[in-house]
Amino acid sequence: MGQDYYAVLELRRSATDADIKKAYRRLALKSHPLKCKEPGAPERFRQLAEAYDVLSDPMKKGIYDKFGEEGLKGGIPEEFGDDNPWTAGYVFHNNPNKVFREFFGGDNPFAEFFAEDGTELIVPFGGLRGRGAMKQDPPIVRDLYLSLEDLFYGCTKKIKISRRVMNEDDQTSTIRDKILTIDVRPGWKQGTRITFEKEGDQGPNIIPADITFIVQEKLHPRFKRTDDNLIFVATVPLGKALTGCAVPVKTLDGRLLNIPVNDIVDPFSLLFSPKYCKVVPGEGMPLLHDPRRKGDLLIYFDICFPKKLTPDQKTLLRSALLS
């Protein structure tokens, strides 16, 4: 179940653009880590920024409303993508302070806050940095959604980011686009991290943040991955389970395997514990350090029992099974 961005902003799904802005203004000021010292404040502040980043953008909001978080971040399903300009999954830049600054502009929204002694507390806009001290922004973490085919063959992904770049005067800055190239290696797994150092926003007295992408595997219609192996569930009629059969499996590289199953697949034990597994060596995912070698294909079985039997069929079964 994906995130409910409306719930994060305490809104109904019928909320207008003005409602979204009003909710973010109220909750972001309330949950800002400079004001709120509760342990969960930074994460709450980040969730608010991501929710506002999505719902304040008409295109992202439209995709989220129709396809939910999975469609937004994983990319629109193929059948909907032909005429839609959204070609890649959404990734939040994970910099809630950037959303906060862009929302409030150059004004200091904390001018109303006061220190414990009653004097006005002036918070430098953009956070409490040491005067003149160089400090690196926190890492920006994004999900990189890849299909099993991408991870089987390897591929190249080009991702466009927008970043603030300092101008030659070292005082002003400009938003510019940049393309980051990720060479996906065969055998990469979920959780693999790819870091681009210092590719975040530039600014005076700061070291740009690193940008890190974390591999997430998209759901596959035929296979489930476990380590370097692939799991395939074959639907087999009861008769074939008892008498043997060939199981057709279309591999990730497009080949059609006909796997012979000569052992008796016990349908009754499968009802309680699907222990029987047909192992096909070398038909899994490539090994990262030696892509010429592969893991195994593990075939499990979903036995289809007949819904009804004729008297003659019942007689034959009794004769075969009770003899």
Side-chain angles (χ1 to χ4, degrees), residues 235-252:
T235 301
V236 178
L238 175 61
K240 291 186 176 181
L242 295 174
T243 60
C245 61
V247 175
V249 181
K250 185 178 180 182
T251 63
L252 289 174

Side-chain angles (χ1 to χ4, degrees), residues 184-197:
V184 178
R185 293 174 56 191
W188 271 7
K189 299 177 182 178
Q190 178 151 312
T192 299
R193 302 171 73 94
I194 310 99
T195 298
F196 294 85
E197 295 184 352

Side-chain angles (χ1 to χ4, degrees), residues 125-145:
F125 192 74
L128 295 172
R129 299 187 186 279
R131 290 183 176 87
M134 294 290 285
K135 182 178 179 180
Q136 187 172 25
D137 277 341
I140 298 168
V141 180
R142 299 181 174 184
D143 288 331
L144 176 64
Y145 284 86

